Amino acid sequence: MLRGLWKLTWLEVKIFVREPLGLFGTIGLPVLVYFGLGRLIGPRMGRVPPDVPRFVSVDLPIFSSILIATSAVLSLVAIIAIYREGGILRRLRATPLRPHTILTAHVTVKLMFTAVTMIAMVLAGRRYFPVPASVPLLSFTVALLFSTLSILSLGFLVASVVPTARFAQPIGTLVLYPMLGLSGLFVPLESLPPLLRGVARALPLTYAVSLLRGIWRGEGWFAHIGDVAILTLMFFALMTAAAKVFRWE
Amino acid sequence: MALQPVIHVDAIRKAYGRTVAVDGVSFGVQAGEIFGLIGPNGAGKTTTMECVEGLRTADRGTISVLGLNPIREVYALQERIGVQLQAAQLQKRIKVREAVGLWASLYRKPVDGDRLIDQLGLSDKRNAWFMTLSGGQKQRLFIALALINDPEVVFLDELTTGLDPQARRAIWDLVRGIRQRGKTVFLTTHLMEEAERLCDRVAIIDHGRIIDIGSPAELVRRHCPERSVIVVTEDSAAADRFRAIPQVESVSSQGLAFTIRGRGDDLVTHVIHCLAEHRIRVTDFRTELPTLEDVFLRLTGHQIRD
C-alpha cells in the first residue's frame, strides 16, 4: 500500500535541504526572530515574575507554535500547487504511487521540519523565555502534533482545489490567518459576536488553542477529551473531502 | 502464431465539456511494433493515449491493454507498462540517480537502475540535479523511468518535441533499441519525419477522428501515388522525349531542370530507360517521393503545423 513512502519521504527531505533559502526561512528565520525578540524584551521582564500577563506566560508559546504550524501548512499548500503546475504530480500519478502516499510523505517532511524548528527555538530562547518546570513538555508536543495535523488537513483541502501555484499562497493565507484571529487566542470566544462565534466553533484551530492552552497549564488530557475528539473528527472529515476533490493537474 | 493485438481500442469517445476531443477512435497495436498516432496539436493524440494508459476515462467505447481494462485494473496494468508523459517535470533538485532509485522502489520487478542510466548515456549525469539537465537529457531520463519496470508496452507522448535535430536522432535510436528488446512501443508525434523514420505503422488523427491507418509507405502509395523525377540536361529535345514516356502526366521546366510528374512505381524505371535509349546526357538526376506530410495535407486539406 505504502510502497515507496519511506524512499519518497527521505528524498523530499534531501531535496528540501538542497534549497538553502527555503531551509533558512523554515528553521533559521523563526529561531532568529524568536531570539531577537527575547533579547529585546526578555531583560526588561527580568526573571519572569509570577504575575506576568497571561499572553506572555501562556499564550506566547502557543501563539508561536501555531504560527510555525501555520507556515508549515502554507508551504505545503505551495509545494502541492507547484508540483501540480509543473506536472510532477501528473508524472507520479502514472506510477504505482498512490495519492495518499505522496501526501503522507509531504506531511511527514513538514512535521519533521516543524519539530526541528520548535526544538531549535526552545533551545535558543531558553535564557529569555524559560519553560516553566510545571509544563508537561511531552504532552504539549503530542497536543501540538494533533493541532498541526488538523490544520494540515485544512491546508490539504485548499491545496486540492487551488488551480495554480501563484494562487495557492494568497488563498492559503486568506483561510489560515483569519482562522488565527478567531481561534480565541486574542479575543475570548465569549466576547465574539454570535455569528463569528459560530464560525470559530466550526474551525479546527479554536479547539487546537483550547487543547494547547489546557495542556500547557497542566490541566491534563482528560479535561480536554472533547477537543481531541473534535480535532480527530475534523481531521478525518477534511482529509476525506480533500481526497475527493484532489486534482492531479 | 496469430498476431494478438497488445492494445485494442474500440470506438472511444471523450469530451471535455462541449468540446469533443476524441470521437469514435478505433485501432489495434500489435506486439513488437512501433505504432504512431500522428496528427497536429489538439487532434486528440494525448487524450487517446492517456485513456489507453488508464489516466483518463473514456466516455464511451472499450479499451483493452495486455488483456486488461485500463480503468478497473489500472494497478495491475501499471506494473506491465512504461509511460513517458508530455511536458512532465520532476522535482528541480532531485538527482538522476535518486529519481531512478525512487522509480525502481515502486515496482515489483525493477531492472538494474545503474545499468539503465549507462544504457541511456546518462552516466556522467548520475549525480546531477534534474533542473540542470538539457532537454535531451531530461527526455532520456524519462525514457529510463519508463523502462525501469521492464514493461511490455512503452508509451511515449511527444517524445522529441522541443529537442534539437541531433538530440532527436539520438532519441530515435533509443526507441528503436526498445523495439529490439521485444517491447511494443506506442507513441504520438506531430513530426511527420519522426513517424516516417521510426514507426512500423501509423494512424493519422485529425479533429478527434482517425483518418487512416497503415505503414508509412502504404499510406503514401494509397493517397499520394504520384512521383516526380527531376532531370537536369542541356539536350533541347529532352522535353518531348519525356512527354512520350508512358505514365507521365506532365513535364515542366525551369532553366535546364525538367520536372517529370507521373504516377505508379514504374515511372522512375521508364525515365531511366528513356534517358539510356536516347543517350540523353544529364548533369543531375533525382526523384522526389511524396512523404507522410503530403499524405496528411491531402487527407485533411491543411498542413500539420497549422
Side-chain angles (χ1 to χ4, degrees), chain A residues 99-112:
Chain A
H100 56 253
T101 312
I102 301 171
L103 299 186
T104 311
H106 280 284
V107 171
T108 313
V109 174
K110 283 294 151 212
L111 286 179
M112 277 167 63

Side-chain angles (χ1 to χ4, degrees), chain B residues 11-234:
Chain B
I12 59 162
R13 178 189 161 94
K14 176 77 183 175
Y16 303 110
R18 265 191 286 172
T19 318
V20 182
V22 170
D23 194 7
V25 161
S26 304
F27 60 90
V29 179
Q30 311 291 336
E33 72 174 343
I34 299 181
F35 183 88
L37 198 54
I38 63 176
N41 294 327
K45 302 189 296 290
T46 297
T47 299
T48 304
M49 181 172 262
E50 292 188 348
C51 286
V52 176
E53 292 163 345
L55 294 178
R56 288 182 199 283
T57 313
D59 303 333
R60 249 184 268 155
T62 55
I63 303 174
S64 109
V65 183
L66 298 164
L68 298 169
N69 179 310
I71 299 301
R72 282 202 309 273
E73 298 166 290
V74 63
Y75 297 158
L77 185 63
Q78 277 174 347
E79 286 287 339
R80 296 173 63 188
I81 64 171
V83 170
Q84 175 266 330
L85 298 172
Q86 189 180 352
Q89 295 284 326
L90 291 180
Q91 291 90 323
K92 279 184 185 172
R93 289 177 172 79
I94 196 169
K95 291 178 181 173
V96 168
R97 179 171 52 80
E98 291 170 343
V100 173
L102 172 66
W103 253 251
S105 76
L106 301 177
Y107 294 93
R108 285 197 196 95
K109 284 179 285 178
V111 298
D112 181 5
D114 283 329
R115 252 188 67 194
L116 203 54
I117 291 176
D118 291 341
Q119 284 165 354
L120 289 166
L122 291 169
S123 308
D124 49 342
K125 289 285 164 189
R126 210 175 284 270
N127 288 310
W129 290 351
F130 179 78
M131 63 192 281
T132 65
L133 300 179
S134 72
Q137 287 162 346
K138 281 181 184 167
Q139 288 301 35
R140 275 185 276 155
L141 174 59
F142 280 123
I143 296 179
L145 299 182
L147 295 177
I148 194 78
N149 56 332
D150 197 20
E152 293 159 64
V153 189
V154 181
F155 293 87
L156 307 171
D157 194 5
E158 293 281 352
L159 189 59
T160 62
T161 300
L163 298 189
D164 57 66
Q166 199 187 346
R168 188 168 284 155
R169 267 158 229 278
I171 298 276
W172 289 346
D173 286 337
L174 286 173
V175 176
R176 291 192 194 101
I178 298 174
R179 177 180 53 190
Q180 268 164 23
R181 291 193 226 172
K183 303 184 190 312
T184 308
V185 179
F186 178 21
L187 59 84
T188 70
T189 182
H190 68 278
L191 301 170
M192 291 293 123
E193 191 197 352
E194 180 164 289
E196 212 148 20
R197 297 208 176 196
L198 210 50
C199 297
D200 299 311
R201 284 193 317 129
V202 298
I204 297 178
I205 186 170
D206 193 37
H207 297 302
R209 291 166 183 275
I210 300 256
I211 303 174
D212 203 1
I213 302 179
S215 74
E218 243 167 60
L219 291 177
V220 168
R221 213 173 302 133
R222 195 179 304 155
H223 299 289
C224 298
E226 65 276 0
R227 303 274 180 279
S228 305
V229 179
I230 295 155
V231 175
V232 178
T233 175
E234 290 178 13

Side-chain angles (χ1 to χ4, degrees), chain A residues 9-23:
Chain A
T9 307
W10 179 229
L11 263 178
E12 292 293 350
V13 169
K14 286 201 277 186
I15 291 168
F16 187 76
V17 170
R18 281 172 196 163
E19 194 169 10
L21 269 181
L23 189 66

Side-chain angles (χ1 to χ4, degrees), chain A residues 3 43 108 184 192 194 204 234:
Chain A
R3 224 186 305 170
T108 313
L192 284 173
M234 279 186 167

